[in-house]
Amino acid sequence: MLQLGTGIGWRPEIADAVERMPGIDWVEAVAENVCPGHLPESLLRLRERGVTVVPHGVSLGLGGADRPDGARLTALAERAGALGSPLVTEHIAFVRAGGPLTASAQLEAGHLLPAPRTRDALDVLCENIRIAQAALPVPLAVENIAALISWPGEEMTEGQFLYDLADRTGVRLLIDVANLHTNHVNRGEDPAKALDELPVEAIAYVHVAGGFERDGVWHDSHAHPVPRPVLDILADLAARVTPPGVLLERDENFPDPAELENELTAIRDTVKIATTARKAAAEAGSGGEAAREAPGAAAERPATDATRQRLGLAQTALLSALVAGTPVPEGFDRARLGVQARALAAKRADVVAKVAPELPEILEGAYRTAFLGYAQRHPMTDGYRRDALDFAEHLLLAGRPEDAETRRRLRDWWLDRSGPAPRSQHPAARLARATRRVLLRG
């Protein structure tokens, strides 16, 4: 197993600070935010110093009903090659649903959503991971995710699901102890039981992150300090096996570098203390630690088209309820789905503001309210950049904003970025051309 050491999530906002931090053995970069032909100078300098860089994907949707998209796999492989990475990582989640498999419109979640822990979902996930493994030039590790909601009728615990996944595919695991804490608060799951059941010997590395609790719901924000319960779960894990790597995640609301360094110190100390105690206990009891055999590569059971369709229909119904206001599927907690829907809309507003920062500048204080109102009736179907354009077009067609100068600035922004009129004869494309002509006259 590759020994990574202690690392931190590399983000452009803290790139300079990361380069100056002592004791950083490796970093993790969001794969979709890195262009292989134009790597950030900071990452290049870190690589020259011998710091390992791992691309961390967020858009494959390996837990979804469809087979992994070939273009996304190629892009992830290119990033691994450009960064000289020893492995790549992704999530056990679905991020989109619908499309040809279910004869419905494809919807994008804009976030990681949990796959049901059922035999059907496991069959599909295992096959999707095997497809990804065959397409990638380096080993793949997959991460357990945080969830606000639970699927009805689940057949396995998280630990059992992860054990079978690793056993059937040989995939490595990226265990996020903050996500175990999130699922403890939100879904009543015992982190210790999960650690008892999952194959700790298959761990590639560990994520540690912060969050916050509101009205009894834990939000895995990656924007707050790491709380003591998360460090306690990390200690429990390290008391069972020494993790090959541990990484601090922080995505926004970045504190002073000294605070991040203090969190890294707390993480190192937690692992060191638990590991030392475990080794001392093993030596006192039996003269050494007994190694457990890691799972790997059991006989595979392919997912049938019918299995994929059943999973696809279930995921489409759930995602449609979350982003399009359709009825809540039977068995789900209606109140908790409302929390998840609001969280998805809020994240969507935040990401669109980052992708198109001119929108909150133009609309000023009205941006967020306007976008959240738009999101209630307009699901995202083609990524955040398209979402920003569609939102602006929606406002303009409604004669908004009311202020003429603000509306002119928004129109100019939309026209500048919407590109040439499409030539498709699809009704939606013809409407877009007509809309463009109207706006140009306005």
Side-chain angles (χ1 to χ4, degrees), residues 3 5-6 206 231-246 266-284 288-289:
Q3 297 299 309
T6 303
V206 174
L231 291 177
D232 289 342
I233 299 172
L234 175 62
D236 190 5
L237 188 154
R240 301 160 189 265
V241 67
T242 302
V246 183
I267 289 169
R268 289 190 193 96
D269 291 346
T270 297
V271 173
K272 182 178 180 180
I273 292 169
T275 300
T276 300
R278 170 172 51 83
K279 290 181 176 179
E283 290 173 359
E289 294 182 80

Tab-separated table of all heavy atoms in Angstrom, residues 3 5-6 206 231-246 266-284 288-289:
chain	number	residue	atom	x	y	z
A	3	GLN	N	2.339	4.671	0.885
A	3	GLN	CA	2.331	5.491	2.093
A	3	GLN	C	2.367	6.971	1.683
A	3	GLN	O	3.361	7.451	1.140
A	3	GLN	CB	3.529	5.145	2.977
A	3	GLN	CG	3.521	3.721	3.490
A	3	GLN	CD	2.295	3.416	4.344
A	3	GLN	OE1	1.975	4.149	5.283
A	3	GLN	NE2	1.603	2.325	4.028
A	5	GLY	N	1.266	9.758	3.871
A	5	GLY	CA	1.589	10.686	4.951
A	5	GLY	C	0.442	11.633	5.230
A	5	GLY	O	-0.729	11.281	5.110
A	6	THR	N	0.788	12.875	5.566
A	6	THR	CA	-0.210	13.891	5.925
A	6	THR	C	-0.354	14.888	4.787
A	6	THR	O	0.636	15.406	4.271
A	6	THR	CB	0.201	14.635	7.208
A	6	THR	OG1	0.383	13.686	8.261
A	6	THR	CG2	-0.865	15.641	7.614
A	206	VAL	N	-7.459	8.586	4.138
A	206	VAL	CA	-8.582	9.042	4.969
A	206	VAL	C	-8.785	10.538	4.790
A	206	VAL	O	-7.811	11.296	4.721
A	206	VAL	CB	-8.311	8.721	6.455
A	206	VAL	CG1	-9.389	9.309	7.354
A	206	VAL	CG2	-8.194	7.211	6.676
A	231	LEU	N	-12.456	13.816	15.051
A	231	LEU	CA	-11.133	13.347	15.466
A	231	LEU	C	-11.239	12.055	16.275
A	231	LEU	O	-10.357	11.185	16.193
A	231	LEU	CB	-10.413	14.421	16.280
A	231	LEU	CG	-9.970	15.673	15.509
A	231	LEU	CD1	-9.346	16.687	16.457
A	231	LEU	CD2	-8.990	15.306	14.392
A	232	ASP	N	-12.309	11.898	17.039
A	232	ASP	CA	-12.494	10.665	17.807
A	232	ASP	C	-12.699	9.468	16.875
A	232	ASP	O	-12.193	8.362	17.137
A	232	ASP	CB	-13.689	10.800	18.749
A	232	ASP	CG	-13.422	11.755	19.912
A	232	ASP	OD1	-12.234	12.047	20.179
A	232	ASP	OD2	-14.399	12.218	20.531
A	233	ILE	N	-13.430	9.665	15.790
A	233	ILE	CA	-13.612	8.579	14.824
A	233	ILE	C	-12.286	8.266	14.130
A	233	ILE	O	-11.957	7.094	13.885
A	233	ILE	CB	-14.702	8.936	13.797
A	233	ILE	CG1	-16.049	9.150	14.502
A	233	ILE	CG2	-14.843	7.828	12.746
A	233	ILE	CD1	-17.133	9.692	13.598
A	234	LEU	N	-11.510	9.314	13.824
A	234	LEU	CA	-10.179	9.098	13.254
A	234	LEU	C	-9.318	8.275	14.215
A	234	LEU	O	-8.603	7.353	13.803
A	234	LEU	CB	-9.505	10.441	12.961
A	234	LEU	CG	-8.057	10.381	12.464
A	234	LEU	CD1	-7.961	9.639	11.133
A	234	LEU	CD2	-7.475	11.792	12.340
A	235	ALA	N	-9.380	8.586	15.507
A	235	ALA	CA	-8.614	7.832	16.501
A	235	ALA	C	-9.068	6.370	16.542
A	235	ALA	O	-8.242	5.455	16.654
A	235	ALA	CB	-8.763	8.480	17.879
A	236	ASP	N	-10.381	6.146	16.448
A	236	ASP	CA	-10.907	4.784	16.448
A	236	ASP	C	-10.392	4.013	15.241
A	236	ASP	O	-10.007	2.841	15.338
A	236	ASP	CB	-12.439	4.829	16.457
A	236	ASP	CG	-13.068	3.461	16.714
A	236	ASP	OD1	-12.332	2.495	16.977
A	236	ASP	OD2	-14.306	3.368	16.643
A	237	LEU	N	-10.370	4.672	14.088
A	237	LEU	CA	-9.849	4.017	12.882
A	237	LEU	C	-8.361	3.691	13.042
A	237	LEU	O	-7.916	2.579	12.740
A	237	LEU	CB	-10.084	4.916	11.667
A	237	LEU	CG	-9.777	4.326	10.290
A	237	LEU	CD1	-10.609	5.010	9.226
A	237	LEU	CD2	-8.303	4.438	9.925
A	238	ALA	N	-7.568	4.677	13.527
A	238	ALA	CA	-6.133	4.470	13.686
A	238	ALA	C	-5.820	3.440	14.764
A	238	ALA	O	-4.726	2.858	14.769
A	238	ALA	CB	-5.443	5.798	14.011
A	239	ALA	N	-6.765	3.206	15.681
A	239	ALA	CA	-6.591	2.163	16.690
A	239	ALA	C	-6.750	0.769	16.084
A	239	ALA	O	-6.411	-0.222	16.720
A	239	ALA	CB	-7.592	2.355	17.824
A	240	ARG	N	-7.270	0.709	14.857
A	240	ARG	CA	-7.473	-0.567	14.172
A	240	ARG	C	-6.405	-0.823	13.114
A	240	ARG	O	-5.976	-1.960	12.923
A	240	ARG	CB	-8.863	-0.587	13.516
A	240	ARG	CG	-10.009	-0.389	14.498
A	240	ARG	CD	-11.276	0.063	13.787
A	240	ARG	NE	-12.318	0.455	14.730
A	240	ARG	CZ	-13.284	-0.334	15.155
A	240	ARG	NH1	-13.357	-1.584	14.715
A	240	ARG	NH2	-14.185	0.088	16.016
A	241	VAL	N	-5.998	0.236	12.400
A	241	VAL	CA	-5.007	0.115	11.340
A	241	VAL	C	-4.371	1.483	11.133
A	241	VAL	O	-5.037	2.515	11.306
A	241	VAL	CB	-5.658	-0.384	10.031
A	241	VAL	CG1	-6.606	0.654	9.447
A	241	VAL	CG2	-4.608	-0.781	9.007
A	242	THR	N	-3.096	1.509	10.786
A	242	THR	CA	-2.442	2.783	10.495
A	242	THR	C	-2.836	3.231	9.096
A	242	THR	O	-2.511	2.551	8.113
A	242	THR	CB	-0.911	2.658	10.578
A	242	THR	OG1	-0.554	2.194	11.881
A	242	THR	CG2	-0.246	3.995	10.316
A	243	PRO	N	-3.552	4.343	8.959
A	243	PRO	CA	-3.958	4.762	7.612
A	243	PRO	C	-2.748	5.169	6.778
A	243	PRO	O	-1.863	5.874	7.267
A	243	PRO	CB	-4.886	5.959	7.868
A	243	PRO	CG	-4.533	6.437	9.235
A	243	PRO	CD	-4.058	5.252	10.006
A	244	PRO	N	-2.672	4.734	5.510
A	244	PRO	CA	-1.536	5.096	4.666
A	244	PRO	C	-1.407	6.604	4.433
A	244	PRO	O	-0.322	7.104	4.162
A	244	PRO	CB	-1.821	4.368	3.349
A	244	PRO	CG	-2.743	3.257	3.722
A	244	PRO	CD	-3.585	3.801	4.832
A	245	GLY	N	-2.509	7.305	4.523
A	245	GLY	CA	-2.503	8.753	4.351
A	245	GLY	C	-3.710	9.366	5.021
A	245	GLY	O	-4.764	8.724	5.135
A	246	VAL	N	-3.556	10.594	5.489
A	246	VAL	CA	-4.666	11.342	6.087
A	246	VAL	C	-4.636	12.740	5.502
A	246	VAL	O	-3.566	13.370	5.424
A	246	VAL	CB	-4.566	11.408	7.623
A	246	VAL	CG1	-5.772	12.126	8.198
A	246	VAL	CG2	-4.453	10.014	8.223
A	266	ALA	N	-3.258	18.568	14.926
A	266	ALA	CA	-4.207	17.764	15.695
A	266	ALA	C	-4.470	16.424	15.012
A	266	ALA	O	-4.598	15.375	15.677
A	266	ALA	CB	-5.514	18.527	15.878
A	267	ILE	N	-4.531	16.423	13.692
A	267	ILE	CA	-4.747	15.183	12.938
A	267	ILE	C	-3.552	14.251	13.103
A	267	ILE	O	-3.699	13.057	13.384
A	267	ILE	CB	-4.999	15.506	11.452
A	267	ILE	CG1	-6.384	16.149	11.287
A	267	ILE	CG2	-4.877	14.261	10.586
A	267	ILE	CD1	-6.625	16.748	9.926
A	268	ARG	N	-2.336	14.802	12.945
A	268	ARG	CA	-1.125	13.981	13.108
A	268	ARG	C	-1.059	13.385	14.514
A	268	ARG	O	-0.763	12.194	14.687
A	268	ARG	CB	0.123	14.830	12.853
A	268	ARG	CG	0.354	15.237	11.415
A	268	ARG	CD	1.742	15.859	11.268
A	268	ARG	NE	1.878	16.528	9.986
A	268	ARG	CZ	1.690	17.831	9.787
A	268	ARG	NH1	1.345	18.609	10.817
A	268	ARG	NH2	1.827	18.357	8.583
A	269	ASP	N	-1.314	14.222	15.508
A	269	ASP	CA	-1.233	13.755	16.890
A	269	ASP	C	-2.264	12.673	17.164
A	269	ASP	O	-1.982	11.686	17.881
A	269	ASP	CB	-1.431	14.926	17.856
A	269	ASP	CG	-0.264	15.909	17.846
A	269	ASP	OD1	0.814	15.547	17.302
A	269	ASP	OD2	-0.431	17.024	18.368
A	270	THR	N	-3.474	12.841	16.630
A	270	THR	CA	-4.531	11.850	16.841
A	270	THR	C	-4.114	10.488	16.290
A	270	THR	O	-4.266	9.453	16.951
A	270	THR	CB	-5.835	12.319	16.165
A	270	THR	OG1	-6.278	13.532	16.779
A	270	THR	CG2	-6.922	11.265	16.299
A	271	VAL	N	-3.589	10.486	15.077
A	271	VAL	CA	-3.158	9.228	14.456
A	271	VAL	C	-1.980	8.626	15.219
A	271	VAL	O	-1.945	7.413	15.491
A	271	VAL	CB	-2.786	9.460	12.979
A	271	VAL	CG1	-2.167	8.199	12.369
A	271	VAL	CG2	-4.020	9.873	12.179
A	272	LYS	N	-1.028	9.470	15.600
A	272	LYS	CA	0.170	8.968	16.279
A	272	LYS	C	-0.171	8.335	17.620
A	272	LYS	O	0.315	7.236	17.956
A	272	LYS	CB	1.163	10.118	16.483
A	272	LYS	CG	2.474	9.689	17.137
A	272	LYS	CD	3.424	10.867	17.259
A	272	LYS	CE	4.742	10.445	17.926
A	272	LYS	NZ	5.687	11.602	18.038
A	273	ILE	N	-0.998	9.001	18.410
A	273	ILE	CA	-1.354	8.483	19.732
A	273	ILE	C	-2.098	7.155	19.615
A	273	ILE	O	-1.796	6.184	20.317
A	273	ILE	CB	-2.197	9.521	20.508
A	273	ILE	CG1	-1.325	10.733	20.856
A	273	ILE	CG2	-2.791	8.904	21.758
A	273	ILE	CD1	-2.121	11.915	21.391
A	274	ALA	N	-3.081	7.099	18.709
A	274	ALA	CA	-3.867	5.867	18.557
A	274	ALA	C	-3.013	4.733	18.008
A	274	ALA	O	-3.140	3.576	18.446
A	274	ALA	CB	-5.064	6.123	17.644
A	275	THR	N	-2.145	5.035	17.073
A	275	THR	CA	-1.287	4.008	16.485
A	275	THR	C	-0.301	3.465	17.514
A	275	THR	O	-0.069	2.248	17.608
A	275	THR	CB	-0.530	4.571	15.271
A	275	THR	OG1	-1.474	5.002	14.284
A	275	THR	CG2	0.385	3.533	14.658
A	276	THR	N	0.296	4.368	18.284
A	276	THR	CA	1.250	3.944	19.316
A	276	THR	C	0.576	3.044	20.348
A	276	THR	O	1.125	2.005	20.747
A	276	THR	CB	1.870	5.176	20.003
A	276	THR	OG1	2.550	5.972	19.030
A	276	THR	CG2	2.855	4.751	21.074
A	277	ALA	N	-0.617	3.424	20.778
A	277	ALA	CA	-1.340	2.611	21.762
A	277	ALA	C	-1.698	1.246	21.191
A	277	ALA	O	-1.604	0.217	21.884
A	277	ALA	CB	-2.594	3.350	22.208
A	278	ARG	N	-2.103	1.200	19.937
A	278	ARG	CA	-2.462	-0.078	19.310
A	278	ARG	C	-1.250	-0.999	19.220
A	278	ARG	O	-1.337	-2.195	19.538
A	278	ARG	CB	-3.034	0.182	17.911
A	278	ARG	CG	-3.207	-1.088	17.074
A	278	ARG	CD	-3.963	-0.799	15.776
A	278	ARG	NE	-3.383	0.310	15.049
A	278	ARG	CZ	-2.340	0.204	14.238
A	278	ARG	NH1	-1.725	-0.951	14.086
A	278	ARG	NH2	-1.901	1.256	13.571
A	279	LYS	N	-0.124	-0.456	18.802
A	279	LYS	CA	1.069	-1.290	18.669
A	279	LYS	C	1.557	-1.786	20.028
A	279	LYS	O	1.981	-2.942	20.164
A	279	LYS	CB	2.168	-0.505	17.963
A	279	LYS	CG	1.866	-0.247	16.486
A	279	LYS	CD	2.993	0.528	15.812
A	279	LYS	CE	2.713	0.690	14.324
A	279	LYS	NZ	3.789	1.461	13.638
A	280	ALA	N	1.471	-0.918	21.033
A	280	ALA	CA	1.889	-1.333	22.376
A	280	ALA	C	0.991	-2.439	22.903
A	280	ALA	O	1.463	-3.420	23.501
A	280	ALA	CB	1.868	-0.132	23.315
A	281	ALA	N	-0.308	-2.317	22.668
A	281	ALA	CA	-1.240	-3.338	23.138
A	281	ALA	C	-1.014	-4.658	22.409
A	281	ALA	O	-1.074	-5.743	23.017
A	281	ALA	CB	-2.675	-2.871	22.942
A	282	ALA	N	-0.729	-4.577	21.111
A	282	ALA	CA	-0.490	-5.797	20.339
A	282	ALA	C	0.771	-6.503	20.797
A	282	ALA	O	0.809	-7.732	20.928
A	282	ALA	CB	-0.393	-5.447	18.852
A	283	GLU	N	1.823	-5.739	21.056
A	283	GLU	CA	3.085	-6.332	21.499
A	283	GLU	C	2.936	-6.962	22.888
A	283	GLU	O	3.476	-8.032	23.166
A	283	GLU	CB	4.177	-5.277	21.510
A	283	GLU	CG	4.587	-4.832	20.111
A	283	GLU	CD	5.547	-3.652	20.130
A	283	GLU	OE1	5.866	-3.173	21.239
A	283	GLU	OE2	5.959	-3.216	19.044
A	284	ALA	N	2.189	-6.284	23.750
A	284	ALA	CA	1.994	-6.825	25.090
A	284	ALA	C	1.134	-8.076	25.071
A	284	ALA	O	1.336	-9.006	25.872
A	284	ALA	CB	1.344	-5.773	25.982
A	288	GLY	N	3.096	-8.971	18.698
A	288	GLY	CA	3.032	-8.320	17.385
A	288	GLY	C	1.600	-8.217	16.925
A	288	GLY	O	0.696	-8.858	17.460
A	289	GLU	N	1.352	-7.381	15.914
A	289	GLU	CA	0.009	-7.194	15.394
A	289	GLU	C	-0.356	-8.316	14.429
A	289	GLU	O	0.458	-8.705	13.590
A	289	GLU	CB	-0.106	-5.855	14.668
A	289	GLU	CG	0.052	-4.657	15.568
A	289	GLU	CD	-0.128	-3.377	14.779
A	289	GLU	OE1	-1.289	-3.004	14.537
A	289	GLU	OE2	0.869	-2.772	14.397
